[in-house]
Amino acid sequence: MTISPPDPTAFRHVMGHFGSGVTVITTGSPESPVGFTASSVASLSLDPLLVMVGVATDGDSLAGIRESGAFGVNILSRDQEALAMHFARSDREARFRDVEVRTRSTGVPLLGASLAWLDCALHAEFPAGDHVVVVGRVESCDAGAGEPLLYFRGRFGGWLS
């Protein structure tokens, strides 16, 4: 008896039950920024300090990370659902319109109003189906006060303790 793998719709439904934080990944330069909303982000190592991000192979984001050799992870706060949707829109050119950015160690744009941020140098990448797992070495990071924006079952929400 052979068992076939689930179809992508079933897989997406099941994975929707795994709550995750919401981030905006940024790269490029302040003059030519690239950014996208991502929830496939995780800490990877403390020695050295590494994070990993799943990046689709079919857009300009992966090319931007490779070209700049760096990326930012901007962790969104509970009240930034509109910002998450803004960076998920198909009009990539408009994503940074009216959005405050700053730079740190690597020079990639970081969002000015995120809950927390990590400025990362590209450390490694690994092919993973229709994505690439990008590993960044954390060059600098900081966090402010507030609650994170979470994503669960296709909806945004907040932390309930």
Side-chain angles (χ1 to χ4, degrees):
M1 175 158 120
T2 56
I3 298 174
S4 60
D7 66 60
T9 303
F11 176 72
R12 178 175 270 185
H13 172 73
V14 170
M15 291 308 298
H17 287 70
F18 180 70
S20 61
V22 182
T23 69
V24 171
I25 306 302
T26 51
T27 192
S29 68
E31 298 78 31
S32 183
V34 177
F36 62 98
T37 300
S39 58
S40 295
V41 176
S43 61
L44 183 60
S45 170
L46 290 176
D47 186 19
L49 299 174
L50 301 175
V51 296
M52 61 184 181
V53 179
V55 183
T57 58
D58 64 351
D60 58 353
S61 302
L62 183 58
I65 291 170
R66 287 173 171 162
E67 184 177 317
S68 69
F71 61 92
V73 178
N74 302 271
I75 301 169
L76 301 186
S77 65
R78 173 66 180 98
D79 62 347
Q80 292 181 307
E81 180 178 339
L83 189 60
M85 295 305 296
H86 182 77
F87 275 90
R89 63 197 284 180
S90 59
D91 184 1
R92 295 174 188 263
E93 299 297 320
R95 290 182 182 172
F96 283 88
R97 194 173 299 142
D98 300 323
V99 174
E100 177 192 341
V101 296
R102 58 198 150 110
T103 60
R104 293 294 190 253
S105 309
T106 68
V108 298
L110 296 166
L111 302 182
S114 56
L115 175 64
W117 55 268
L118 300 106
D119 189 17
C120 305
L122 181 59
H123 179 76
E125 59 178 82
F126 305 95
D130 59 0
H131 280 63
V132 170
V133 175
V134 175
V135 178
R137 185 182 63 253
V138 179
E139 300 293 324
S140 58
C141 60
D142 198 12
E147 294 183 18
L149 180 61
L150 304 177
Y151 192 71
F152 178 69
R153 291 187 184 171
R155 297 177 63 198
F156 292 105
W159 177 263
L160 296 176
S161 54

